Amino acid sequence: MIACLWAPSLPLQALLRAEPELRGQAVAILEQGQVTAMTFAAARQEVRPGMTATAALAVCPHLTLRTPAREIVRAAAAALADVAYGFSPHVEAAEPGWIYFDASGLGRLHETAQDLQKAVLAAAQRVGLSVRVGIGSGKFAAKLRARWREVVVGVLPVEALEPSPEAASRLARWGVRKVADLAALAPPAVGRRLGEEGARLARRARAAIGGQTRGDDPLCPAPAPLRFEEAIELDWALYDVESLAFVVRGLLERLVARLHCRALAASALEVRLALDPRGMHEIQVPLRAPTRQVATMTTLVRLAVAAQPPDRGVTGIAIVARPAPPATDQLSLFDPVPPPPETLQATVARVEAIVGPGHVGSPQVLDSHRPDAQRLIPFAPPRTAAATAPAGPHKVVALRWLPPTEELDALAKVQGARVTAHAGPWRLSADWWREPFERDYYEVRTVSGAIYLVCRNLERWQVVGMFD
């Protein structure tokens, strides 16, 4: 069983998908000086295909004439393919706006063909497209049902089989008006009179009516592409980050809708800004974990652009998402529910975008004799509940390492406060095979009651920690 998806007037739908504020308005697509597609509001004002721009504006003065950019149309075609790949891995992209996929084996998920059609229509609507769905035994039968919205193919006119003008004229002279009339004729007999095209038309008619796949073109699936890109061209240049973030949010919403069709998430973003009058500014936006949160990704892109601002106005934006399976978590029946990995890692990524890379993580103690030997590793909290602390009062003394600050005599005064008592020294010698590390450590208490950890390196005193 083959399913066919048809997106009528794909350039027009691509424009409305990229600029949803145009929905409900009189809009027409202009290609090579002529109108090729229009919205219902424009058609109601007598705008017709084939009109010139002057004629269309004469009948509808408030008509919006647009020629969508190739990037917008390409993204809409890719979104249509993503809808099909969400139902089957065997997908064939035919001419623009037409997609076929193998619907065999979907009966456990969708009991009837009508249920499958409703699911496909809902998935297409989520990515901003309006499609027609046809299901048949072969590609051509599915295409007929998608184009003509007829369950009974036999009542369709012969023109539905796409004959040439000469073949259509001869069939009309024979009195063959419907697909059922042509299916009643033997393909060899029709072929002797109309040649190869006649035999092909007869086989198509029989395949469409009788549910046969013989004579129909086979499905030629292609591997699913893993490139998700959305782009837009701006009518005027943008110079402030907030306006740029508003446009970026729309691009990310369309990207997330496509990723959702394929059960994927974004693990990294690549932002390309087209500059005025020419040039490109590229920014890499890493994500801590695969996510579909549009608000978080918009904030990260805005912060990344603010950290690396372009030197000129922005006339176009393209965002490429690196796909990855979404983060999952195995929960326990008896422990408290932890924050979802996607939400937690998105929060960490937003904090890192504010404080800078390399300043957020979990401390890890290194295998060294140096007391301050540590490093930051990516934040990954355990997914099990922490051990419950024993009941009863208890006290914990913690040493908080501080950036080393110089002191003249740490045994007499520390940070402007007089020292009342001290303990030490504790000599520490390590890393003699690399860079020798020799320190004398003291614990000192000031008149304010604060306790510091100080050290002496040759003739220099430093404050390196504080006890909390």
Side-chain angles (χ1 to χ4, degrees), residues 28-31 33-38 47-53 56 65:
I29 299 298
L30 192 65
E31 296 180 358
Q34 293 184 347
V35 174
T36 58
M38 75 290 298
V47 179
R48 296 292 181 263
M51 282 185 172
T52 62
L65 291 172

Side-chain angles (χ1 to χ4, degrees), residues 216-465:
D216 199 353
D217 297 332
L219 185 69
C220 301
L226 291 179
R227 182 176 179 82
F228 296 85
E229 179 178 357
E230 290 288 339
I232 190 172
E233 291 184 356
L234 305 175
D235 295 333
W236 53 84
L238 298 179
Y239 295 91
D240 59 298
V241 178
E242 296 303 327
S243 300
L244 193 68
F246 179 79
V247 180
V248 165
R249 185 179 182 90
L251 295 175
L252 290 175
E253 287 177 350
R254 298 195 289 272
L255 268 178
V256 169
R258 292 176 52 187
L259 290 168
H260 186 74
C261 287
R262 302 273 294 274
L264 296 173
S267 61
L269 299 176
E270 177 185 346
V271 182
R272 297 198 301 267
L273 306 177
L275 305 181
D276 185 26
R278 63 180 60 88
M280 191 69 65
H281 184 69
E282 298 186 0
I283 301 176
Q284 302 292 333
V285 183
L287 304 176
R288 283 284 182 169
T291 179
R292 297 176 187 162
Q293 297 186 4
V294 177
T296 299
M297 290 188 287
T298 303
T299 303
L300 294 177
V301 172
R302 179 173 58 82
L303 294 174
V305 173
Q308 306 176 33
D311 56 353
R312 283 165 287 168
V314 177
T315 59
I317 306 174
I319 300 181
V320 181
R322 184 185 306 165
T328 57
D329 193 14
Q330 180 65 44
L331 303 180
S332 173
L333 295 176
F334 309 102
D335 297 330
V337 179
E342 180 180 358
T343 304
L344 186 59
Q345 297 295 351
T347 303
V348 174
R350 296 178 66 177
V351 174
E352 185 177 23
I354 296 174
V355 302
H359 293 82
V360 178
S362 300
Q364 182 186 49
V365 179
L366 300 179
D367 186 11
S368 174
H369 291 285
R370 300 178 59 164
D372 58 346
Q374 58 184 347
R375 65 177 179 179
L376 282 180
I377 61 175
F379 178 71
R383 304 310 299 171
T384 58
T388 305
H394 61 283
K395 297 182 180 180
V396 177
V397 178
L399 174 62
R400 176 160 47 97
W401 290 98
L402 303 174
T405 56
E406 300 288 340
E407 293 286 347
L408 294 178
D409 187 358
L411 298 183
K413 185 181 292 186
V414 173
Q415 295 187 357
R418 184 171 56 88
V419 175
T420 59
H422 68 272
W426 295 280
R427 172 158 294 185
L428 182 61
S429 177
D431 294 347
W432 56 266
W433 60 92
R434 290 186 299 186
E435 182 180 355
F437 178 85
E438 295 184 0
R439 300 286 190 276
D440 289 339
Y441 286 90
Y442 296 83
E443 295 177 5
V444 298
R445 183 175 61 188
T446 62
V447 292
S448 61
I451 302 177
Y452 293 91
L453 180 66
V454 300
C455 70
R456 183 174 182 178
N457 179 15
L458 299 178
E459 300 299 328
R460 299 166 51 195
W461 287 93
Q462 290 181 332
V463 180
V464 295

Side-chain angles (χ1 to χ4, degrees), residues 122-141:
Q125 187 176 9
R126 284 195 295 267
V127 299
L129 295 176
S130 176
V131 301
R132 296 184 184 179
V133 184
I135 300 176
S137 58
K139 289 172 55 177
F140 197 79

Side-chain angles (χ1 to χ4, degrees), residues 11-320:
L12 177 61
Q13 293 202 49
L15 177 64
L16 299 179
R17 178 175 177 267
E19 302 181 28
E21 65 274 7
L22 295 178
R23 296 183 183 272
Q25 301 182 15
V27 183
I29 299 298
L30 192 65
E31 296 180 358
Q32 298 180 355
Q34 293 184 347
V35 174
T36 58
M38 75 290 298
T39 60
F40 177 76
R44 193 167 51 184
Q45 298 294 328
E46 301 300 330
V47 179
R48 296 292 181 263
M51 282 185 172
T52 62
T54 304
L57 290 174
V59 299
C60 184
H62 58 278
L63 179 67
T64 301
L65 291 172
R66 300 289 295 273
T67 300
R70 290 177 297 178
E71 292 79 7
I72 296 178
V73 180
R74 189 183 303 115
L80 183 63
D82 291 332
V83 173
Y85 279 112
F87 290 88
S88 173
H90 305 291
V91 177
E92 176 187 351
E95 59 268 23
W98 291 90
I99 296 289
Y100 302 94
F101 68 89
D102 186 5
S104 303
L106 296 179
R108 294 185 178 181
L109 298 177
H110 311 283
E111 296 182 358
T112 63
Q114 288 75 18
D115 294 339
L116 177 59
Q117 289 180 351
K118 292 179 181 179
V120 175
L121 292 175
Q125 187 176 9
R126 284 195 295 267
V127 299
L129 295 176
S130 176
V131 301
R132 296 184 184 179
V133 184
I135 300 176
S137 58
K139 289 172 55 177
F140 197 79
K143 182 177 182 180
L144 288 179
R145 288 175 170 83
R147 180 186 287 274
W148 297 90
R149 295 183 176 178
E150 289 284 351
V151 178
V152 182
V153 182
V155 302
L156 295 177
V158 175
E159 288 72 15
L161 299 177
E162 302 176 358
S164 63
E166 181 182 357
S169 176
R170 296 189 63 177
L171 289 174
R173 290 199 301 269
W174 293 352
V176 179
R177 300 286 189 273
K178 300 179 181 179
V179 175
D181 299 337
L182 183 58
L185 303 178
V190 179
R192 284 193 295 269
R193 291 163 177 80
L194 293 181
E196 182 181 355
E197 181 185 3
R200 184 176 67 254
L201 292 175
R203 287 195 298 267
R204 280 184 174 180
R206 290 195 169 191
I209 292 180
Q212 304 172 3
T213 58
R214 182 181 178 183
D216 199 353
D217 297 332
L219 185 69
C220 301
L226 291 179
R227 182 176 179 82
F228 296 85
E229 179 178 357
E230 290 288 339
I232 190 172
E233 291 184 356
L234 305 175
D235 295 333
W236 53 84
L238 298 179
Y239 295 91
D240 59 298
V241 178
E242 296 303 327
S243 300
L244 193 68
F246 179 79
V247 180
V248 165
R249 185 179 182 90
L251 295 175
L252 290 175
E253 287 177 350
R254 298 195 289 272
L255 268 178
V256 169
R258 292 176 52 187
L259 290 168
H260 186 74
C261 287
R262 302 273 294 274
L264 296 173
S267 61
L269 299 176
E270 177 185 346
V271 182
R272 297 198 301 267
L273 306 177
L275 305 181
D276 185 26
R278 63 180 60 88
M280 191 69 65
H281 184 69
E282 298 186 0
I283 301 176
Q284 302 292 333
V285 183
L287 304 176
R288 283 284 182 169
T291 179
R292 297 176 187 162
Q293 297 186 4
V294 177
T296 299
M297 290 188 287
T298 303
T299 303
L300 294 177
V301 172
R302 179 173 58 82
L303 294 174
V305 173
Q308 306 176 33
D311 56 353
R312 283 165 287 168
V314 177
T315 59
I317 306 174
I319 300 181
V320 181

